């Protein structure tokens, strides 16, 4: 996985995580190990991955090939310089991996959309009429996305209490279990990315927590959608898994009925069997598993999201983030914990508090709670883990 790290007095630069070590790509480049590749090693001395990503897919694959060779060559070319190029992961500080120009959050988790519909609009069809025809999304705030480990301050806002607007700290702070895509291509305005080309625009994938204040959201969201309930913070994992590594987990998605319009029809399976977990650690307690889900429960796949995003000619920029929307599994899935990707759903709108092993209950998050998202895929060669997205709530 690629990321941006610093340690000691060294400035942030690109690294590659392997086991419990970070391979310093700036130093690897300075030592000439990237010679012969279509890559100027100066891109690894930058405080974001944007310049590296902008080199394009052929360069990403060539660099990863070379790194794999350096790590797996039986002659161990890095053995004599181990301490120069490997840093124990416990010693590094991680930074946001990319400079994010734009952030779009989809709503592609159909179980979540259905659950929210049941709660927010109990008297109608839980899914709005457009849901199975297009991947719904909103434009979020890029500059309040923070790297895993950054504390998140409970936001103030306006919400209803006894049907009267009041102002104060949110009383319904929640997480959302999502995946984020890091865009790897610049396109100019007017360019349409077809569904078949869409995956080539993705550099990598991260875990993504779209923190949400449900009381503020419920009051403000009509008619234009989320605003202050969402834009105070989102947390993403520091390590980016290159997208092509997901190939081992590629699966067919759900049957899409009615059939989508031609520009959204995919020819190859575009879903991925990515195991997802949410953990909650109270201020003075142990971390507990709160929920288990899987990316196969998304209705729309990543290629369809990108094709829809660009079908009007909307441009893409390297470093843009597109998040999936909350990924809940059906309640019928078996799990030792819950299967939903938010406390809104796990506590069913606050009506069914979740009881933790220490006896305390949660409808929404308490100050001092830490939420951690984790994920992995199983491959013939073993498990590949994504980074983790962790954030602690402060008053
Ligand atoms: Ca969301």
């Amino acid at each position: 996985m690629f990321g941006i790290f610093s340690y000691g007095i060294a400035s942030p630069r690109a690294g590659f995580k392997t086991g419990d070590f970070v391979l310093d790509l700036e130093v690897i480049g300075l030592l000439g190990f990237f010679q012969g590749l279509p890559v100027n090693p100066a891109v690894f001395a930058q405080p974001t991955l944007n310049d590296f990503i902008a080199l394009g897919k052929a360069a990403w694959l060539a660099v990863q090939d070379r790194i794999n060779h350096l790590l797996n060559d039986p002659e161990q070319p890095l053995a004599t310089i181990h301490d120069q190029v490997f840093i124990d992961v416990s010693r590094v500080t991680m930074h946001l991996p990319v400079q994010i120009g734009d952030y779009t959050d989809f709503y592609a988790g159909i179980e979540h959309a259905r659950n929210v519909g049941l709660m927010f609009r109990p008297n109608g069809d839980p899914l709005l009429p457009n849901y199975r025809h297009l991947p719904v999304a909103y434009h979020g705030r890029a500059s309040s996305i923070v790297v895993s480990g950054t504390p998140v301050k409970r936001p103030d806002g306006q919400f209803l209490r006894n049907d009267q607007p009041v102002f104060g700290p949110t009383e319904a702070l929640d997480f959302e279990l999502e995946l984020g895509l890091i865009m790897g291509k610049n396109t100019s305005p007017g360019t349409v990315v077809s569904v078949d080309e869409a995956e080539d625009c993705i550099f990598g994938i991260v875990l993504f927590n779209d923190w949400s204040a449900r009381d503020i959201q419920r009051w403000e969201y009509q008619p234009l959608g989320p605003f202050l309930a969402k834009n105070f913070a989102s947390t993403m994992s520091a390590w980016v898994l290159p997208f092509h590594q997901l190939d081992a987990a590629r699966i067919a998605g759900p049957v899409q009925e009615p059939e989508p319009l031609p520009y959204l029809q995919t020819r190859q399976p575009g879903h991925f069997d990515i195991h997802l977990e949410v953990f909650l650690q109270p201020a003075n307690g142990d971390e507990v598993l709160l929920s288990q889900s899987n990316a196969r429960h998304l209705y729309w796949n990543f290629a369809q999201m990108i094709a829809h995003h660009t079908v009007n000619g909307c441009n893409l920029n390297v470093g843009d983030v597109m998040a999936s929307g909350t990924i809940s599994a059906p309640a019928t899935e078996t799990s030792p914990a819950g299967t939903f990707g938010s406390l809104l759903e796990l506590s069913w709108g606050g009506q069914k508090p979740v009881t933790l092993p220490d006896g305390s209950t949660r409808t929404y998050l308490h100050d001092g709670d830490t939420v951690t998202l984790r994920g992995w895929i199983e491959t013939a060669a073993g498990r590949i883990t994504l980074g983790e997205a962790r954030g602690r709530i402060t008053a």
Side-chain angles (χ1 to χ4, degrees), residues 60-374:
W60 318 332
L61 296 179
V63 165
Q64 181 138 26
D65 258 11
R66 182 65 57 88
I67 291 171
N68 288 343
H69 174 75
L70 291 172
L71 296 176
N72 300 318
D73 186 334
E75 290 181 21
Q76 300 191 22
L78 303 179
T80 57
I81 51 168
H82 186 280
D83 292 351
Q84 249 182 295
V85 296
F86 288 106
I87 302 102
D88 193 291
V89 76
S90 65
R91 293 179 54 206
V92 305
T93 301
M94 296 306 298
H95 305 267
L96 261 190
V98 284
Q99 185 179 352
I100 305 163
D102 282 297
Y103 154 49
T104 304
D105 195 20
F106 282 88
Y107 198 54
I110 191 168
E111 300 298 330
H112 173 74
R114 193 182 280 123
N115 288 338
V116 172
L118 284 170
M119 281 181 263
F120 279 37
R121 296 179 303 275
N123 299 319
D125 185 338
L127 293 178
L128 290 168
N130 59 6
Y131 192 84
R132 286 192 171 87
H133 293 275
L134 55 86
V136 171
Y138 72 98
H139 285 299
R141 189 162 183 84
S143 58
S144 60
I145 298 175
V146 296
V147 72
S148 177
T150 308
V152 171
K153 183 174 172 290
R154 179 180 297 274
D156 289 337
Q158 186 183 139
F159 51 90
L160 292 184
R161 188 186 288 141
N162 303 322
D163 294 327
Q164 288 302 311
V166 296
F167 178 84
T170 174
E171 296 168 358
L173 186 54
D174 200 358
F175 61 84
E176 290 192 335
L177 169 62
E178 304 196 18
L179 289 164
L181 305 172
I182 310 283
M183 291 297 112
K185 204 169 189 173
N186 295 311
T187 65
S188 48
T191 305
V192 177
V193 178
S194 76
V195 75
D196 294 323
E197 304 164 316
E199 285 188 0
D200 284 336
C201 296
I202 308 172
F203 170 70
I205 189 160
V206 292
L207 286 157
F208 196 89
N209 182 347
D210 178 28
W211 301 98
S212 301
R214 301 300 181 191
D215 42 8
I216 299 171
Q217 180 181 0
R218 195 183 286 262
W219 176 224
E220 76 175 0
Y221 88 106
Q222 300 194 74
L224 287 185
F227 180 34
L228 301 178
K230 303 268 192 179
N231 68 3
F232 57 95
S234 308
T235 297
M236 70 183 237
S237 51
W239 293 105
V240 185
L241 184 71
F243 190 72
H244 70 90
Q245 287 200 249
L246 289 184
D247 261 334
R250 188 181 289 276
I251 52 170
V255 174
Q256 294 181 331
E257 181 61 45
E259 186 176 59
L261 289 171
Y263 79 93
L264 288 171
Q265 289 174 10
T266 44
R267 268 156 281 276
Q268 66 163 344
H271 278 69
F272 297 91
D273 185 9
I274 306 172
H275 300 264
L276 298 168
E277 291 182 333
V278 183
F279 293 85
L280 188 141
Q281 183 171 19
N284 296 307
D286 295 326
E287 185 178 84
V288 295
L289 177 65
L290 204 58
S291 186
Q292 289 181 309
S293 185
N294 191 299
R296 64 190 155 86
H297 300 299
L298 289 170
Y299 188 76
W300 298 102
N301 65 40
F302 301 139
Q304 290 173 317
M305 294 177 205
I306 294 168
H308 185 65
H309 201 307
T310 61
V311 74
N312 64 347
C314 175
N315 56 312
L316 300 176
N317 289 302
V318 164
D320 285 355
V321 170
M322 292 192 193
S324 60
T326 308
I327 306 173
S328 292
T332 49
E333 297 272 306
T334 44
S335 163
T339 62
F340 296 155
S342 67
L343 273 171
L344 172 71
E345 297 163 87
L346 289 165
S347 73
W348 206 254
Q351 296 170 36
K352 297 181 193 166
V354 176
T355 303
L356 303 182
D358 67 3
S360 67
T361 59
R362 293 291 182 283
T363 47
Y364 294 103
L365 296 169
H366 293 182
D367 292 342
D369 282 352
T370 298
V371 176
T372 304
L373 311 183
R374 297 198 176 95

